[in-house]
Amino acid sequence: MAATQSIHTSTRGVEAPLMRGHWLWGNLKDVREDVLGFFLKAMAQDEAMLKASFLSINVHLLFDPDAIHHVFVKNAPNYYKGTRGYEKLRHLLGNGLVTSEGDFWRRQRRIAQPAFHKKRLEGFATTMAQAAEDMSLQWEESAKKGEELDLAQEMMRLTLRIAGETLFSTDISKASDDFGKYLSIGLEHFNHIASHPVPKVEYLPLPSNLRFWHALRKMKKMTWSLIQERRKRGEDRGDLLSMFMLARDEETGEQMSDQQLLDEAFTMLGAGHETTANALAWTLYLMTQNPDALEKVAQEADRVFGDRLPTMDDFKELTYTKRVIQESMRLFPPVWAIAKTAREDDVINGYHVSAGTHVYVCNYANHRNPRYWDNPEEFRPERFTPEALEEQKKRGRTNFMYMPFSQGQRKCIGDHFAMLEAVLIFSMLARKFQFQLKPGAVVKPETTVTLRPKDGIPATLRLR
Ligand code: HEM
C-alpha cells in the first residue's frame, strides 16, 4: 500500500478564521491555563475549522466531521504523527505501533493484527473476568470495613494486571505498583515537556528529567526481562508476546527483532492499560452521580450471567452496559485529543493548510458539540441505541464526531479488546457494589497523555 498511497496536494483555498490571541505567543497561554476550556471556547465559535498558534507553531483546530474525515481517511497519507507530543511519546514508548510511521508501521500492524482477532479475545475474556473477580473479593472486605478507595488507582492496577496476563501470560500485578508508579512518572513528565515552551528541555540534566530517565529504564528493564524469559523457554503461550515472536510478515517472511519486540510490548503495555483504566474510572465516577443507570447495569448482569463469570458470548448481550461505557467515553474520552501534521500543502473544507501545520481533533470538545449532540452535558446512554445512532447519522458523518478510538488506518488496534474488558469488568462490579463519592470531593479532568481524574476518585463502596 505504502508506495501506491497517493497524497492529494492542493495549494488553493482561503485562510481559515483565526483564533484571537497574543501577538507574540498566540494562544499558548490559554492552552497552558486550561486546554479543555480553550477547545470548548474555540468550538463555540461554530466554525468548521479555526487557525490558532502556539508561539511559532501554527495549528488548525477541526470541528467538522467532513474536515476530520478528510484528514483521517480521504487524504490520510498526507498526515503523520509529527507533533512534539509524538516526539516525546517516542521517548516513552519507543518505535512501536503507536508512534511508528510508513512502511515500518504498516508491517508491524499486519503482524500484530491477528492477535486481536475474535477467537483470541475469547481467551482474554476469561483472564479479564478472573482478574475482576479477584479484585472484587478484596473490595468486599473494603466495603464491609467502610474503607475509602481511590477508584481510579484501583482501575489502573486491575487493567495493568490484565495487560500483563494477556500480553505476557504473567501476573505482573505484584510488580505493578512499581510499574504503575514509573508509568505515572513517565506520563506526568511527558505531559510537562510536551507542553513546555522551551524545545529540547528534556535533554537537560534537571532532577525531573533524571527521574524520568530512571523510571523509563526501570520499566524497559521489566519488559525486557519478560521477553528474555520467553525467548529462553521458546514456547507458544497463546498470548500477544508469543504472537509477536512467532509472526512472520506474509510479504517478506521477516520476524520482529528483539528491539522491535521490546518496543511493541512496551507500547501495548502503555497503550493498553492506562486508556482502559481511565474509561472505567470515569464510568464509575458517573455511576456515583447516576445510581439508576448503575442499577440497570446490575440488573442486566444478573440476567445475562448471574453468579458465574461472564464470557465473550455474554458480552454481546450486555447491551445497556456497553452504552454506558460509550456514553462515558463521550463525556470523558480517555484519548482527549489527536494531532496530525500535514506533509504537504492541502485544502480542507475550502481552507488552506500549509505543509508542516498541525491539525488538532479534540475529542473532549467534539463529543460535546451541540450541533451533533442534544444536551451534550447530560449523561444519556440512550444516545447509543441503534435507533438513536441511525437518527444521528442524518446530521452527517457523525462517526467522526465520536471517535474515542480514532478513525481511519491509525484507528486503535485494541478497540474490541478494550470494549470487552471495560464491559465485563464494569458489569461485574455493578452487580456487587454501589459507589459513594467522598463527601465534598470534586472530580475534575486532568489532561496528561490520557484524560485522568485529577486527584483520583475517592469513594466508599456498599454491597448491593
Ligand atoms: C478505552 C480504551 C482505549 C482507548 C480509548 C484507545 C484509544 C486509542 C486512540 C485514540 C488511538 C489513536 C492514537 C493516535 O492516533 O495517536 C489508539 C491507538 C492504539 N491503541 Fe488504543 N485505546 C484503548 C485501548 C487499547 C488497548 C486495550 C490496546 C492494546 C491492547 C491498545 C493499543 C493501541 C495501539 C497499539 C494503537 C496504535 C495503532 C496504530 O497506529 O496502528 N489500545 N488507541
Side-chain angles (χ1 to χ4, degrees):
M1 275 275 276
T4 56
Q5 274 193 327
S6 57
I7 298 171
H8 308 283
T9 59
S10 174
T11 50
R12 295 229 288 259
V14 296
E15 289 297 305
L18 192 66
M19 239 343 240
R20 219 180 257 245
H22 187 269
W23 64 272
L24 179 60
W25 54 76
N27 307 96
L28 189 67
K29 192 161 164 274
D30 303 334
V31 166
R32 284 179 68 82
E33 274 168 14
D34 174 14
V35 64
L36 298 177
F38 167 78
F39 274 106
L40 288 172
K41 211 166 98 192
M43 188 179 70
Q45 294 192 20
D46 206 20
E47 300 281 356
M49 265 170 76
L50 281 176
K51 216 172 149 176
S53 67
F54 308 146
L55 271 179
S56 59
I57 302 168
N58 283 326
V59 303
H60 278 99
L61 318 177
L62 309 187
F63 300 109
D64 174 81
D66 291 332
I68 299 170
H69 176 262
H70 180 96
V71 170
F72 284 73
V73 178
K74 196 170 161 209
N75 203 15
N78 192 41
Y79 294 89
Y80 70 105
K81 299 183 174 190
T83 59
R84 276 185 64 206
Y86 282 117
E87 200 186 303
K88 313 294 170 230
L89 203 55
R90 265 175 212 113
H91 288 166
L92 191 63
L93 300 179
N95 197 31
L97 268 179
V98 170
T99 51
S100 54
E101 289 284 347
D103 287 346
F104 179 78
W105 162 77
R106 210 163 277 111
R107 193 190 79 125
Q108 294 294 99
R109 175 101 189 189
R110 245 187 346 250
I111 296 178
Q113 197 71 58
F116 292 91
H117 280 170
K118 272 206 184 104
K119 263 261 104 350
R120 251 166 212 275
L121 292 187
E122 261 170 39
F124 294 159
T126 314
T127 308
M128 293 164 181
Q130 189 56 56
E133 175 69 3
D134 291 349
M135 189 194 70
S136 77
L137 291 175
Q138 288 172 10
W139 275 19
E140 279 178 29
E141 295 309 309
S142 301
K144 283 179 200 150
K145 290 185 204 150
E147 262 172 14
E148 186 184 295
L149 295 175
D150 176 355
L151 299 179
Q153 208 174 35
E154 293 289 306
M155 291 303 103
M156 206 68 92
R157 196 172 300 137
L158 177 62
T159 58
L160 184 57
R161 170 177 163 182
I162 292 170
E165 290 189 6
T166 50
L167 286 168
F168 304 121
S169 306
T170 302
D171 178 2
I172 55 169
S173 61
K174 286 180 217 97
S176 75
D177 273 342
D178 275 351
F179 200 94
K181 192 179 78 191
Y182 292 133
L183 196 65
S184 269
I185 294 173
L187 291 175
E188 266 147 40
H189 185 78
F190 165 81
N191 191 45
H192 176 68
I193 53 173
S195 61
H196 203 284
V198 182
K200 311 288 178 205
V201 70
E202 68 273 18
Y203 297 113
L204 303 174
L206 305 171
S208 61
N209 287 343
L210 297 175
R211 236 160 63 92
F212 169 69
W213 290 114
H214 173 73
L216 194 61
R217 261 197 317 276
K218 285 279 190 191
M219 282 190 285
K220 296 227 159 160
K221 209 170 146 202
M222 286 181 193
T223 313
W224 190 247
S225 65
L226 289 167
I227 293 173
Q228 292 305 308
E229 199 184 311
R230 182 69 55 88
R231 276 250 190 261
K232 243 188 272 156
R233 294 191 185 169
E235 57 191 350
D236 178 3
R237 303 284 300 270
D239 55 17
L240 288 177
L241 184 61
S242 284
M243 286 288 300
F244 291 163
M245 281 184 161
L246 298 170
R248 281 181 189 278
D249 185 345
E250 61 214 24
E251 283 178 17
T252 62
E254 272 176 85
Q255 285 187 299
M256 286 196 208
S257 70
D258 279 3
Q259 184 59 48
Q260 283 158 8
L261 274 174
L262 177 70
D263 286 354
E264 291 306 351
F266 201 65
T267 293
M268 291 292 164
L269 263 188
H273 99 278
E274 160 96 15
T275 41
T276 318
N278 283 320
L280 278 161
W282 286 115
T283 305
L284 296 183
Y285 164 68
L286 285 165
M287 293 304 98
T288 65
Q289 313 297 302
N290 298 277
D292 293 349
L294 180 65
E295 182 53 27
K296 270 178 90 170
V297 172
Q299 286 175 12
E300 188 171 72
D302 284 339
R303 203 172 54 248
V304 173
F305 58 89
D307 282 330
R308 62 175 173 78
L309 294 186
T311 62
M312 180 85 173
D313 285 338
D314 299 322
F315 168 73
K316 292 171 213 136
E317 308 295 318
L318 297 166
T319 50
Y320 181 75
T321 311
K322 184 175 168 202
R323 276 171 216 146
V324 172
I325 301 278
Q326 286 171 310
E327 176 66 345
S328 159
M329 288 199 293
R330 183 185 68 80
L331 286 165
F332 298 105
V335 177
W336 59 277
I338 307 171
K340 308 257 178 189
T341 306
R343 288 182 202 281
E344 294 179 19
D345 283 8
D346 195 9
V347 174
I348 309 177
N349 284 31
Y351 293 125
H352 176 72
V353 172
S354 314
T357 304
H358 303 317
V359 292
Y360 277 85
V361 171
C362 178
N363 282 334
Y364 183 86
N366 288 354
H367 289 187
R368 291 163 189 254
N369 189 330
R371 247 177 197 269
Y372 302 97
W373 305 97
D374 297 326
N375 298 311
E377 299 298 324
E378 265 177 38
F379 170 78
R380 283 196 204 164
E382 301 71 36
R383 296 179 202 275
F384 291 93
T385 60
E387 303 76 42
L389 289 174
E390 205 47 50
E391 191 56 34
Q392 214 213 12
K393 263 195 209 159
K394 292 181 187 155
R395 301 186 189 194
R397 282 198 174 98
T398 43
N399 51 334
F400 286 85
M401 294 313 276
Y402 179 73
M403 35 188 269
F405 295 110
S406 188
Q407 283 286 6
Q409 58 181 5
R410 301 302 301 253
K411 192 176 177 190
C412 178
I413 200 172
D415 54 352
H416 295 300
F417 182 115
M419 281 311 287
L420 177 69
E421 182 177 10
V423 166
L424 294 189
I425 292 172
F426 176 41
S427 63
M428 287 174 73
L429 298 180
R431 228 190 126 243
K432 279 198 180 168
F433 303 101
Q434 291 165 339
F435 309 94
Q436 279 84 35
L437 197 61
K438 180 183 178 181
V442 179
V443 176
K444 287 218 170 108
E446 180 184 30
T447 48
T448 59
V449 182
T450 56
L451 193 71
R452 285 176 169 195
K454 191 171 187 299
D455 306 322
I457 303 177
T460 49
L461 312 173
R462 199 177 291 154
L463 288 169
R464 173 169 172 257

